[in-house]
Amino acid sequence: MAKIKPSKGSPYARILGVGGYRPVRVVPNEVILETIDSSDEWIRSRSGIETRHWANDEETVAAMSVEASGKAIADAGITAEQIGAVVVSTVSHFKQTPAVATEIADKLGTNKAAAFDISAGCAGFGYGLTLAKGMVVEGSAEYVLVIGVERLSDLTDLEDRATAFLFGDGAGAVVVGPSKEPAIGPTVWGSEGDKSETIKQTVPWTDYRDGEVAKFPAITQEGQAVFRWAVFEMAKVAKEALDAAGITADELDVFIPHQANERIIDSMVKTLKLPASVMVARDVRTTGNTSAASIPLAMERLLATGEAKSGDTALVIGFGAGLVYAATVVTLP
């Protein structure tokens, strides 16, 4: 019986570079209030959101991804030709096929990199990061580009008082490559499909196509149920990720949760008993909820502003529609 030759990858993997892109148009709460009965104070108190970015016609899922990826590749100090795989997490690319990752890989100038999309909602970046780590360690790619990108303005019902103010657009990207020491911890991830109705698309595309509904599909959610799940269950997952990495809350430098809602972030900080020394990402205030893009966008901003620095130890956790989740501890690039 023939023996298969073992793969030759890196002993470990790390994030080498990060980049982000936010659409030019900044949308304040006042614009949202034109279509819902609410107030700026109510929106801020319930979510922490002051503004969000909405894409124009030129700022497509692919275009935003290319911009963010170019920055991440430059930050990593490599060339596009060295990228061996491109993993894109998105729920707002409206072509079923081909994967938008293939278009991005081509526009970046990669050398025929493997390219595919994944759909894991707000946990998508964590899923992509885990896949990338596996590829680098296994040896199927030396460098992997992981992109979280959304145009959620296309899936927002501006008359839905519960969600109209939540969503924004943007793209975040990281390059994952070889490391001589552990820099991406074990991932604690999973799904709770019995709760899938709490965050969902209003109707299938086919219902709209067949004329069964007149309104274009949008994202809807049961706010209180999502809040309770995120605060109580995801705090447990975050603690599991710390334990899996052999890190205590006191040893953390940075906490980068999915930027869903500032009240959720505050509650998780309290439940995890994070010390005041831990820098907490609050990009949600000016970027809104960008689903798969929220963690890399928040990471990029913290590093750009100097609120976090290269080599810091960060806990990242994403959670959302599915319901799905993914948490891990990383060393910042």
Side-chain angles (χ1 to χ4, degrees):
M1 183 181 293
K3 293 185 178 180
I4 297 174
K5 185 178 179 179
S7 300
K8 292 184 178 180
S10 171
Y12 306 106
R14 69 182 302 119
I15 299 174
L16 299 173
V18 60
Y21 180 82
R22 292 171 174 80
V24 174
R25 183 187 178 193
V26 177
V27 180
N29 289 338
E30 286 73 20
V31 172
I32 307 299
L33 296 176
E34 293 174 4
T35 52
I36 61 171
D37 180 17
S38 188
S39 69
D40 177 61
E41 189 279 330
W42 186 89
I43 292 173
R44 291 183 188 229
S45 66
R46 302 286 272 189
S47 68
I49 298 172
E50 302 168 8
T51 61
R52 73 284 291 145
H53 295 255
W54 283 355
N56 60 33
D57 290 344
E58 287 72 38
E59 292 168 321
T60 63
V61 165
M64 292 191 294
S65 296
V66 169
E67 289 292 330
S69 298
K71 295 175 184 176
I73 292 169
D75 192 43
I78 65 169
T79 65
E81 290 85 353
Q82 292 175 274
I83 297 293
V86 177
V87 182
V88 178
S89 177
T90 185
V91 299
S92 48
H93 175 58
F94 291 155
K95 276 188 178 179
Q96 192 69 39
T97 192
V100 72
T102 59
E103 179 183 350
I104 295 165
D106 178 64
K107 287 184 175 179
L108 286 171
T110 67
N111 185 22
K112 299 181 180 179
F116 58 95
D117 299 350
I118 61 174
S119 176
C122 305
F125 175 75
Y127 276 47
L129 186 64
T130 303
L131 294 173
K133 173 187 174 183
M135 285 185 245
V136 171
V137 172
E138 185 270 339
S140 58
E142 185 176 12
Y143 300 100
V144 181
L145 180 64
V146 180
I147 303 166
V149 57
E150 302 292 2
R151 273 183 54 122
L152 293 182
S153 57
D154 292 332
L155 285 169
T156 299
D157 180 354
L158 293 177
E159 297 178 347
D160 181 357
R161 190 173 184 272
T163 62
F165 59 90
L166 286 176
F167 303 121
D169 303 337
V174 299
V175 172
V176 177
S179 176
K180 294 180 180 179
E181 58 186 26
I184 301 176
T187 300
V188 177
W189 57 352
S191 64
E192 297 185 35
D194 60 314
K195 299 180 179 67
S196 62
E197 291 296 303
T198 56
I199 308 175
K200 64 179 182 179
Q201 184 171 304
T202 49
V203 295
W205 301 114
T206 48
D207 284 6
Y208 181 74
R209 179 199 65 188
D210 297 340
E212 295 181 24
V213 294
K215 183 176 282 190
F216 192 75
I219 297 173
T220 186
Q221 69 175 32
E222 297 173 13
Q224 287 302 313
V226 173
F227 183 89
R228 288 192 297 270
W229 176 77
V231 169
F232 297 108
E233 298 304 320
M234 292 305 97
K236 296 176 186 176
V237 171
K239 180 62 167 61
E240 289 178 31
L242 289 173
D243 292 342
I247 298 292
T248 66
D250 291 339
E251 294 174 299
L252 271 183
D253 299 306
V254 185
F255 179 43
I256 311 178
H258 165 48
Q259 301 293 292
N261 180 307
E262 192 166 35
R263 289 174 62 209
I264 292 175
I265 294 171
D266 289 340
S267 296
M268 290 184 72
V269 168
K270 183 177 180 180
T271 302
L272 288 168
K273 299 179 180 178
L274 297 183
S277 60
V278 175
M279 172 55 62
V280 179
R282 299 183 186 280
D283 195 43
V284 67
R285 292 173 179 171
T286 56
T287 307
N289 180 343
T290 56
S291 189
S294 80
I295 290 175
L297 277 174
M299 183 184 295
E300 185 263 352
R301 175 162 280 173
L302 288 175
L303 289 167
T305 59
E307 295 172 281
K309 62 184 184 299
S310 175
D312 278 353
T313 300
L315 169 63
V316 299
I317 179 170
F319 45 86
L323 294 171
V324 294
Y325 54 88
T328 188
V329 175
V330 303
T331 301
L332 295 182

